[in-house]
Amino acid sequence: RIPFQEAEERILGITHPVVGELVSRRWQLPNPIPCCIRYHHEPSALPTPDPIVDALHLADAACLLLGIGGGDDGQLYHVDEATLERTGVTTSELEKIGASVVFELKSVQKLFGME
């Protein structure tokens, strides 16, 4: 019952954001991709806030909180408070955005016969 990233660190000694950043730099992906990968769970760890990382963090948080694309730790995931403050997005707005995404995703799946 711990966040996925904490389990990664305990078991593997490294987290998927760190591995993702290393791989993206090895592949010479352009900025801001490596930065976004590295800080998508902890945007406040950046020395200077980045609005692209903030947006990615909120999108990731909305998905994880709704059980999209993550493991079983969605309810253990913490949205970065400073990101919410910087963007002016509230937790309830984030939930509404997530619900809209789920609705749209179901519509697209229906179009492709993936119900």
Side-chain angles (χ1 to χ4, degrees), residues 22-61:
L22 292 170
V23 169
S24 66
R25 291 195 188 283
R26 174 77 166 206
W27 289 348
Q28 299 178 353
L29 296 179
N31 284 325
I33 295 171
C35 181
C36 286
I37 292 170
R38 171 63 183 87
Y39 294 100
H40 72 280
H41 288 304
E42 50 182 358
S44 289
L46 275 167
T48 304
D50 184 319
I52 297 172
V53 174
D54 283 347
L56 182 61
H57 172 70
L58 293 178
D60 185 54

Side-chain angles (χ1 to χ4, degrees), residues 55-105:
L56 182 61
H57 172 70
L58 293 178
D60 185 54
C63 288
L64 289 174
L65 292 170
L66 290 164
I68 300 170
D72 293 334
D73 71 333
Q75 298 306 313
L76 299 172
Y77 191 79
H78 297 287
V79 181
D80 184 75
E81 292 294 327
T83 299
L84 291 172
E85 192 174 306
R86 279 192 299 273
T87 61
V89 174
T90 66
T91 305
S92 81
E93 289 172 327
L94 191 59
E95 290 169 359
K96 288 177 188 174
I97 291 166
S100 295
V101 168
V102 169
F103 179 78
E104 293 300 326
L105 179 60

